Structure formats: C-alpha cells, structure tokens
Amino acid sequence: MMQGNMSQQLGNSHRRFLQTLMTCGSVDEPGARSLHQHCCETHNTQYVPDQLDNFINAINSKLQPLFMQIRKGMSEESGQQHYALVNMAETEVTRMSSDYTENELELFRKTIDLIVASDNGLALSTDILNSADTLTTKKLKKTETEQLLKRLVQDKWLCEKQGEYTLSTRCIIEMEPYIRTMYPEQVKVCHICHNIVFQCQTCENPVCGVKIHFPCVAKYFRGRSVRRCPACDDAWEHEVPGTVFYLFLSSTSVLKVYMTLKC
Amino acid sequence: MVPGLAARFLDVMTQRKRATPSSQRQHGVSALQEDEDDIPFTQPSTSQVQKALENVTPAQLDHKASEVVQYFLVKQQKKIPVRRADLVKHVVKEYRNIFPEIMKSASKTLDQVFGLKLVEIDNKNHLYILISKLENVDGPHTSVSSPKVGLLFVILSVIFMKGGVVRENVIWNTLKKLRVDPGEKHAEFGDVKRLVTDEFVRQRYLECVRIPHTEPVEHEFHWGQRAELEVSKVKLLEFLGQLHDQDPQLWSQQFKEAHSSVNPPSS
C-alpha cells in the first residue's frame, strides 16, 4: 500500500468516517466506498473515487501512535471485504477488558475455544452454557450467560443464528493475531485465500481434509463443471454455494419517515 | 420506525407551560454504581505536576494518553459517562500526578483524530462524556434512523415544547398514544420504562428527578446534559415545524430559547 500520505492532516471527512466506522463495528467494501463519498461531500472535500485506500491510510497514520488501525478482512458469510477499527496494542482481549468483567471474559475465551475446536466454526449455545459451569474465576448462572451472549452479539463480537454462535467479521479481523498465538495447533487456514478460517467446507478425503471458506469455494469453482479438491484432486462432494447476494440495508432516517407519514 | 407514529404524534401537542422550579435536583433514579474501594483522587497542583513531569519521558506520557483515549472510546460505544475515579484507578494508575497533562493530551487527540470533544458534565462527581463535534447528518450507516433515537427524539420534543420539564405521566401517555406502552413489553424496545428511566438517563440524554412530597413517588423529566450538548433545538423546532406545517417562529417562546442557548456543533 502507498505510504504517500504519512504527513497528511486529517479533515472532518476523515473524522466522520472514523466515527461512523466505530459505531457500526465494521463496514463492507461497497459501504465503505459510499461512506467515503458521503463524508467528503458533507464536508465539501474533493471526492475522488478509488482513493479510498489513500483516505484510509491517512487515518491510519494518525491511529498508529494510538495502537489502533483500520484493517480489512473477509466476511465468511458474504465473501465481501470488511473494514474494521481494531486494537493493535496487545494480543489479549484488551479492548473488551474495560467493558466486561473477568469471568465474562473467561466465558468469551471459552466460546472461542469451542469455535476453534469445531469443524464448522460454530458453538452451540448449550455447549457455551455448560462452559459457564466450569469457569475458574466466578461461575455464571444460566440467565447471566444468556444475557452476556446477547451483549456480545450487540457489541458485535459474536453473531448468532438459530442458537449457534460464530465470531463476527470484526472479531475475526481484530482477534486473528491473538487466535493464531493462542491456538497454534488448532487454528485452520483456508486453502484458497490462506486467511484464518472458521466457517468452511472440508475436503472429504480423510488424508487431505483441507478447509475452504464458503465464498472462496464459490469463487474457485465458478465456471467449473468438474469439481475436484485443489489439494488432493479427489471429487469435491459438497454443494458449491451459488451467487452471493449482498443484502444492502439502506437506512431511511426517522425524519424521512415522519415526513412521509405526515397526514 | 413504529408505523403511524407521526400521525399520532400530531395529536399530542398541547399548550406550552413554563418549567416549575419547585422540584429538587437529584440524580434519584440512576446513580452510577461502581465499587466502593476507590482511593479518593484530588487534582494535583501545578507545581506537583511540574515536578512529576520531570520523571516521565514524553513516550510514557503519550502511551498513557493513548490508553486513556482507548478507554474513552470503548465507553463511548455505550454512551455511558466515564468517572474520573475509574479512569485514575484502571488506566492512569501510578501516573496520577500528571493526570492533567495526560488529560490534555488525550483531549487533543480525541479532537484532532476523532472529532470528539471531551466534556466534564459533572464538576462535583467528575464525570466525563464525549460528544461529536460533527453535525448529525443523515447518510449511509448513520444511526439517525435507529428506532431508539426516534423514541428519544419524541420524548425530547415533548419536554422542549412544554417548557423544559414534564411530569412522567405525560411522557407515558404520549408514548401510549404512539402505541408504545410502558406497561407492556414492546416488540422493538422491550422494557420501555427501563429504556426511558434507566438507559436514556444513564446516557445523560434525559434527567429524571423526583418530585418531593408525592406519594406514590412521581418523577419529572428534563433534557439531560448530553441532549443539551448534542441535540440542536433549532433543528428540532424546524423539524416540528415541518411536521405540523407551521412556521417555527410561531412557537415564540421555544423559538427564542432555541436561538439564545449555546448551540451544539455544526460542521
């Protein structure tokens, strides 16, 4: 990436981008581009499309002394690149530590244990609830655990669907170094993109067993009628995900709603 | 947003009333409950700071300031005020003698990098909040459209139009007319009463004050310090004007107040 913007001062367009990113947790690539445009236009700064990386580099140069960075990572669901503001200071869960108590952090770590150990990158809520009984710091009751999980989802560390929990894209971007350090044996890497992988398809060949992200599978097998494992050449038994739909949630303001409903 | 909200909101506006000065000001409903074993912190004198600075390298000062910035940013996500005592206990620690210097540096960084202003909202209990110096503008990914913000907005409007303070039953009745019943669990907001009296108050958007000599206990609502700093009364009046198809100047009392008070940030 170009380093040409090391000395560039930040304007309100950069600050607005940063504030919005902090509120959202993470933003996907199209969202980041439209946000970049919106921020420039709001503050009458010249908007040059395709300058998003430079724009972000300028912000990152100021974030670096604060041990923070805007980093990119892929969503395991959509395959889209996401941008997130992450803490680079330590490999531990520092950013969370002022928000969560010691035993809550311990439960979060146990949830990561379960996710890393699983084949599909998912932790069942029943298993997490059982872990709550084995905490060494202070035990959590069932209701406390359920509330904690809700908070972790709200704070965009975990995602939940149908009683199963996964790491959010922002969490993966932020915690990848920590996870690689803490789980060197168990951590898996996608055979196609070489990034850390949780939710994936696995080669059925017991001797092979390579893992590939769902979006990476879709990309790799696109247009191929015969599907073979890129590592061992065995038939790839799984169904290849189809075209990925991007659910683009456009926000309508309260004001607009009021106006349109005005009678 | 709850459908039909605006339509019902039109029914709610009644005549204006001046604020009653009779109620005591206390943070009755929600004091921040933190741990009791705080070492009391008093601001070091200028000479103490100068002396302590001699033993600290610029790098150490910068590092501490960075930690303070991070601490504030995390708390900012929930919009919960930061207690000075917690800041000293958990972050500043042994550097407490250069606390003012650390705060100065952190404040500057929050301003220049994030466009956030560090404000002490309570000089007695030493509470800080961060407010954005950037104007609230609708755009992609903004939180302007969140239903909670809408609900808060309705409550702030009612309080403002009624002269700055309303009894709690006025708020509950207003919300009931908008089909948000504090007595029932709401599909979107859950426990509405808790949201209004606990969350919004803790975030300092609202202030909830006990009315003395009431049995059972009744409360009044005022705008909280965060609302005073973040929400533009001028814009609120303009919006209400559009909603009621009325020139904001016709609400002369409110118009005067909106244009006389120190207005929150514009970009």
Side-chain angles (χ1 to χ4, degrees):
Chain A
M1 273 200 191
M2 284 164 54
Q3 293 291 305
N5 282 311
M6 287 304 279
S7 59
Q8 185 186 342
Q9 287 308 304
L10 296 187
N12 279 337
S13 55
H14 299 99
R15 297 179 186 116
R16 186 176 291 274
F17 189 91
L18 195 46
Q19 282 190 25
T20 310
L21 189 59
M22 271 169 44
T23 313
C24 298
S26 69
V27 140
D28 64 19
E29 184 127 30
R33 293 192 186 285
S34 69
L35 183 59
H36 174 212
Q37 179 173 8
H38 167 71
C39 289
C40 288
E41 288 173 355
T42 304
H43 296 284
N44 295 319
T45 312
Q46 190 197 21
Y47 169 63
V48 185
D50 301 327
Q51 288 297 301
L52 178 61
D53 281 343
N54 280 344
F55 187 78
I56 288 179
N57 282 346
I59 300 174
N60 273 342
S61 69
K62 301 297 179 200
L63 289 175
Q64 200 177 1
L66 304 170
F67 308 103
M68 297 204 273
Q69 288 286 274
I70 297 176
R71 288 188 59 204
K72 242 173 157 176
M74 184 187 78
S75 158
E76 295 194 323
E77 321 260 317
S78 69
Q80 274 282 14
Q81 287 294 310
H82 278 238
Y83 293 89
L85 180 65
V86 303
N87 182 332
M88 311 285 281
E90 275 143 56
T91 53
E92 274 288 342
V93 290
T94 24
R95 189 186 337 202
M96 302 174 74
S97 59
S98 62
D99 234 10
Y100 293 89
T101 61
E102 231 192 300
N103 63 337
E104 289 176 338
L105 289 175
E106 200 196 339
L107 187 86
F108 181 61
R109 276 189 223 103
K110 287 206 178 270
T111 307
I112 298 181
D113 288 348
L114 289 166
I115 290 172
V116 171
S118 74
D119 272 330
N120 55 7
L122 301 169
L124 295 170
S125 56
T126 41
D127 291 336
I128 301 173
L129 286 166
N130 288 338
S131 301
D133 278 337
T134 65
L135 296 178
T136 56
T137 43
K138 194 178 113 179
K139 304 218 192 302
L140 282 169
K141 290 186 273 213
K142 179 161 184 257
T143 44
E144 290 176 320
T145 308
E146 285 168 350
Q147 285 209 12
L148 170 61
L149 287 172
K150 224 167 147 192
R151 258 173 75 206
L152 286 164
V153 171
Q154 254 172 1
D155 292 348
K156 302 186 172 82
W157 294 106
L158 296 176
C159 296
E160 185 264 335
K161 48 185 178 203
Q162 294 165 333
E164 293 180 312
Y165 290 86
T166 55
L167 301 180
S168 70
T169 304
R170 179 270 200 120
C171 183
I172 296 174
I173 296 174
E174 181 144 7
M175 304 252 187
E176 181 171 341
Y178 166 77
I179 293 173
R180 282 184 186 258
T181 313
M182 296 302 284
Y183 306 90
E185 310 292 310
Q186 292 170 285
V187 91
K188 295 144 205 153
V189 154
C190 172
H191 187 78
I192 300 294
C193 71
H194 308 294
N195 286 319
I196 203 170
V197 63
F198 298 98
Q199 296 183 76
C200 56
Q201 290 184 349
T202 312
C203 178
E204 303 266 282
N205 181 353
V207 178
C208 177
V210 291
K211 292 181 173 283
I212 309 181
H213 289 116
F214 291 100
C216 295
V217 169
K219 224 165 45 176
Y220 181 73
F221 287 119
R222 193 178 300 153
R224 291 177 204 241
S225 48
V226 179
R227 288 154 187 176
R228 312 204 79 93
C229 171
C232 71
D233 216 34
D234 258 25
W236 191 263
E237 302 289 347
H238 305 281
E239 215 181 291
V240 170
T243 341
V244 181
F245 280 91
Y246 304 129
L247 198 67
F248 197 75
L249 292 162
S250 64
S251 49
T252 23
S253 75
V254 169
L255 304 181
K256 288 204 188 108
V257 171
Y258 273 120
M259 297 305 285
T260 52
L261 290 180
K262 191 180 87 161
C263 51
Chain B
M1 194 63 206
V2 179
L5 203 60
R8 286 180 184 81
F9 188 42
L10 290 171
D11 297 331
V12 167
M13 309 306 286
T14 51
Q15 77 262 71
R16 314 147 224 162
K17 225 162 54 160
R18 271 281 31 138
T20 42
S22 55
S23 46
Q24 299 164 293
R25 287 205 112 91
Q26 314 164 347
H27 268 299
V29 178
S30 69
L32 283 172
Q33 269 138 9
E34 301 285 357
D35 31 9
E36 280 100 24
D37 55 332
D38 289 334
I39 311 161
F41 174 74
T42 44
Q43 281 274 35
S45 66
T46 331
S47 53
Q48 278 178 308
V49 173
Q50 285 303 103
K51 196 139 185 263
L53 267 178
E54 288 165 20
N55 297 327
V56 172
T57 66
Q60 284 172 314
L61 172 60
D62 284 343
H63 188 93
K64 266 301 147 184
S66 302
E67 290 183 353
V68 167
V69 166
Q70 288 214 20
Y71 187 81
F72 268 106
L73 290 176
V74 171
K75 295 297 183 191
Q76 170 69 351
Q77 298 291 69
K78 302 279 175 62
K79 305 243 170 154
I80 293 180
V82 169
R83 284 171 82 226
R84 191 176 72 180
D86 288 336
L87 195 56
V88 172
K89 180 174 172 190
H90 298 297
V91 188
V92 177
K93 298 187 206 175
E94 70 273 22
Y95 290 87
R96 44 178 52 209
N97 276 340
I98 55 164
F99 180 79
E101 287 300 308
I102 296 174
M103 287 303 275
K104 208 160 65 175
S105 174
S107 193
K108 189 163 157 220
T109 302
L110 285 164
D111 179 6
Q112 290 182 342
V113 180
F114 296 90
L116 294 169
K117 193 165 150 191
L118 183 57
V119 181
E120 187 170 12
I121 56 169
D122 188 334
N123 285 337
K124 205 177 102 187
N125 298 313
H126 303 291
L127 292 172
Y128 300 97
I129 59 169
L130 294 180
I131 54 165
S132 174
K133 294 177 75 177
L134 306 174
E135 194 183 332
N136 241 339
V137 168
D138 192 24
H141 308 284
T142 53
S143 62
V144 176
S145 57
S146 104
K148 267 191 202 171
V149 172
L151 186 71
L152 174 65
F153 201 71
V154 166
I155 297 172
L156 290 175
S157 300
V158 170
I159 298 173
F160 178 57
M161 294 310 282
K162 286 196 166 281
V165 62
V166 288
R167 292 180 87 101
E168 63 177 299
N169 61 311
V170 174
I171 299 291
W172 308 135
N173 290 337
T174 305
L175 295 185
K176 269 196 208 141
K177 286 187 193 156
L178 301 171
R179 299 241 204 91
V180 179
D181 191 336
E184 297 169 358
K185 189 165 178 191
H186 190 265
E188 175 74 51
F189 304 121
D191 186 343
V192 176
K193 204 154 190 206
R194 196 204 66 85
L195 174 62
V196 175
T197 58
D198 186 36
E199 189 171 321
F200 286 159
V201 173
R202 232 165 350 119
Q203 294 174 335
R204 299 305 200 267
Y205 280 113
L206 295 176
E207 200 180 313
C208 187
V209 177
R210 228 184 110 170
I211 304 171
H213 313 303
T214 51
E215 193 59 50
V217 174
E218 272 182 62
H219 299 89
E220 297 180 324
F221 283 100
H222 304 249
W223 277 37
Q225 295 125 320
R226 191 187 288 277
E228 293 283 352
L229 289 165
E230 278 187 10
V231 180
S232 160
K233 288 179 176 152
V234 173
K235 286 223 166 320
L236 191 139
L237 261 185
E238 279 172 10
F239 160 69
L240 289 172
Q242 287 176 318
L243 194 63
H244 294 269
D245 214 3
Q246 176 166 318
D247 184 347
Q249 295 203 49
L250 294 175
W251 289 304
S252 51
Q253 262 178 320
Q254 286 83 351
F255 189 83
K256 226 189 305 181
E257 186 187 325
H259 285 270
S260 66
S261 52
V262 177
N263 261 327
S266 52
S267 60

